[in-house]
Amino acid sequence: MPNIALELGKQSAELGVRSAYGDQQDVDGIRLIPVALTWSGFGGGSDEAGNGGGGGGGYAIPIGAYIRRGDDLRFEPNIVALLTVAVPFVFFAGRALSRVIRALKK
């Protein structure tokens, strides 16, 4: 019986880069490489009777694309997706910073 944890580890290592950067697309002489913010998780377990199971899942937010026109290469962000990620990050980072400042004042 293969070690399921090692197999999941191997697959998730390959999955990370392939899910963050999409396949190159050529459109009217312009090369596009989509970029996404991704995360995934896996879990599993079993009991003494040999009953077991597992599962996993993931999520991806498209944050933009690398665009090459001739010799020019630049990143063009997806503004809506960046705001979706940035607003909660700034909120929780601000709360954490305020708590650190309060703790240092005491």
Side-chain angles (χ1 to χ4, degrees):
M1 181 174 185
N3 188 340
I4 207 153
L6 291 175
E7 291 298 318
L8 283 175
K10 288 178 189 175
Q11 291 176 4
S12 67
E14 294 175 6
L15 178 69
V17 172
R18 281 189 280 156
S19 63
Y21 297 98
D23 294 332
Q24 175 179 308
Q25 304 291 321
D26 292 323
V27 179
D28 295 330
I30 299 171
R31 292 184 178 173
L32 305 169
I33 300 173
V35 180
L37 175 66
T38 64
W39 61 92
S40 60
F42 302 97
S46 64
D47 60 11
E48 292 83 23
N51 300 318
Y59 197 73
I61 298 174
I63 59 171
Y66 285 106
I67 298 179
R68 177 180 292 270
R69 290 185 180 106
D71 291 335
D72 183 35
L73 175 67
R74 67 174 186 221
F75 178 78
E76 289 191 12
N78 178 347
I79 301 299
V80 173
L82 286 176
L83 287 174
T84 303
V85 172
V87 169
F89 175 76
V90 169
F91 174 76
F92 288 112
R95 287 192 66 181
L97 184 61
S98 69
R99 289 182 182 189
V100 167
I101 291 171
R102 275 192 225 139
L104 292 175
K105 284 184 177 180
K106 291 183 179 183

